Every structure is written in structure tokens, then in C-alpha cells.
Amino acid sequence: QVQLVESGGGVVQPGRSLRLSCTASGFTFSSHAMHWVRQAPGKGLEWVTFITFDGRDTYYADSVKGRFTISRDNSKNTLYLQMNSLRPEDTALYYCARDVGGTRGNLLYWGQGTLVTVSS
Amino acid sequence: EIVLTQSPATLSLSPGETVTLSCRASQSIGSYLAWYQQKPGQAPRLLMYDASNRATGIPARFSGSGSGTDFTLTISSLEPEDFAVYYCQHRSNWPFTFGPGTKVD
């Protein structure tokens, strides 16, 4: 079955960097686009970023554009989120998610999330 | 950026009742709307996509409708496991956005 496992979260000071990973299994990772979605504690969902199956195209929420970079290594079945210049408002549970096959933006499979806390 | 508005923010209901949740987009998004359910401590679960298509394994008591700017999710005969927060999300253009959610308790 499809599994997505996020890792790399932790406590980081404002202005510092962190890289999240999402390891996929149970499907052909290299054939599917992927997303990151975050949820601040006690708040709603915020779509963060998207990458095509081959990594050629990426899109970002305005709130992270220029600071976050999504990438993937299809040989390792792994999705990444490089987060630079972190701010307290980036504190959230970060989920990776995969689309319904053949569509873009219907998030069918989700990991359990990794928590990022930005605090001094 | 397209803004999604959900109403009401909270609904207090009992098992067996029928509930209709609303999601309104700030501009037309065609049928590019999805609905998710989230329970405490769990990842969201896709319920409906492209406004009216049930995702795999979703019970028939869930139905979705709408196009353009106005969408609804209907849950007929609430089951105890349906008490949760429901989010809408569009995929019409970039960036995708979620609504603020409706809590059904």
C-alpha cells in the first residue's frame, strides 16, 4: 500500500534552515507529482508547494516563495523541502502528499507529518 | 490568489441528521474543488474531488456538488465517525488554496 513518511522536523531558530524529507513506498514514485502541505498548531491547512513527477516544474505559495525549495530524488523515492530563512510563522506540521493518479491537486495520499518549530 | 470561504465555521449536530457544508470561491474555479475530512491527530482524508467525485472508499452518504464559485458537501445521516473538520481546496490555478474549515461537532 502507499506509504509516505516524513522526517527532518525539529526546533530551529528564526533565520536558520531545515530540510525535510518524505520517503515514499508502495507506488511508482517517479510517475507521480507531489505536494507539501502544512498546518500550524490548532489552525487550518495551507498548501505549500508542488513538484511534477520529473522535477521539471515547481510551484509555491506566496508565503514561502523565495525561501523554500521543493525537490525530489526519484532514484531514492524521496521528496525534499529545503526551508531557508525560517520565520516563527513557519511553525507547523508539514505533510507530504500525493495526487489522485492522472490529476493534479487532488491529494489522495498523505503522510503523518513532521513538526517544525521555529523559535529562539 | 483564490480565496475560499467556508460556512458555517461550526455546526452542532446529532447522529442521523443531514448536513450541508458550503464553500465559496472568490472567482470561478470550474469544478476544480476537493473536500477533505480531518480528525484530531490525523492527516486529512480526501472525500470528494472535482466537486462531485467520491474518492476511493468514501461512503455514499457523502456527496458533493457545485461549479463556478459555489460548492456544497452533503453528508446524509451523520454517523458518529463523521464528526470532524471539513476543508475545501481548489486546484484551478496556482497557488492552490484551502478554505478555513467547518467543524462538525
Side-chain angles (χ1 to χ4, degrees):
Chain A
Q1 73 279 22
V2 172
Q3 269 201 307
L4 299 169
V5 179
E6 303 92 339
S7 60
V11 180
V12 61
Q13 293 179 327
R16 304 296 292 265
S17 299
L18 202 62
R19 188 177 82 158
L20 306 183
S21 299
C22 169
T23 302
S25 60
F27 66 102
T28 305
F29 180 72
S30 59
S31 297
H32 290 271
M34 298 292 294
H35 303 254
W36 287 98
V37 175
R38 69 183 180 182
Q39 186 168 36
K43 303 298 184 182
L45 300 170
E46 180 185 14
W47 176 84
V48 176
T49 181
F50 165 90
I51 187 168
T52 51
F53 69 98
D54 57 1
R56 288 189 177 186
D57 292 319
T58 59
Y59 299 92
Y60 297 90
D62 291 344
S63 58
V64 306
K65 198 174 296 183
R67 300 187 300 122
F68 288 13
T69 302
I70 189 172
S71 62
R72 63 192 297 158
D73 185 337
N74 285 342
S75 69
K76 296 182 178 179
N77 288 351
T78 303
L79 176 73
Y80 301 103
L81 183 64
Q82 178 67 42
M83 304 185 295
N84 298 333
S85 303
L86 281 161
R87 305 167 179 169
E89 55 265 35
D90 296 318
T91 294
L93 187 64
Y94 284 74
Y95 296 101
C96 65
R98 200 208 89 177
D99 282 325
V100 171
T103 71
R104 179 180 283 194
N106 296 312
L107 305 180
L108 178 59
Y109 298 104
W110 296 67
Q112 285 305 302
T114 186
L115 182 62
V116 174
T117 302
V118 184
S119 173
S120 54
Chain B
E1 173 176 310
I2 293 172
V3 176
L4 298 178
T5 305
Q6 291 187 246
S7 60
T10 305
L11 274 173
S12 295
L13 297 164
S14 300
E17 292 191 89
T18 293
V19 58
T20 299
L21 308 181
S22 173
C23 178
R24 176 165 290 176
S26 59
Q27 63 189 75
S28 179
I29 57 172
S31 295
Y32 294 128
L33 188 93
W35 290 92
Y36 300 84
Q37 176 194 68
Q38 188 179 33
K39 299 178 182 179
Q42 296 185 17
R45 178 172 73 145
L46 178 67
L47 298 175
M48 311 293 303
Y49 64 95
D50 294 346
S52 60
N53 296 291
R54 267 189 304 275
T56 304
I58 301 303
R61 65 180 181 274
F62 291 90
S63 63
S65 64
S67 65
T69 59
D70 291 300
F71 300 84
T72 58
L73 173 71
T74 300
I75 312 170
S76 59
S77 190
L78 274 168
E79 297 285 341
E81 61 267 28
D82 299 336
F83 292 89
V85 180
Y86 292 84
Y87 296 95
C88 58
Q89 171 243 324
H90 86 86
R91 67 179 190 97
S92 176
N93 56 23
W94 305 104
F96 297 164
T97 55
F98 285 89
T102 292
K103 183 176 183 179
V104 176
D105 65 15

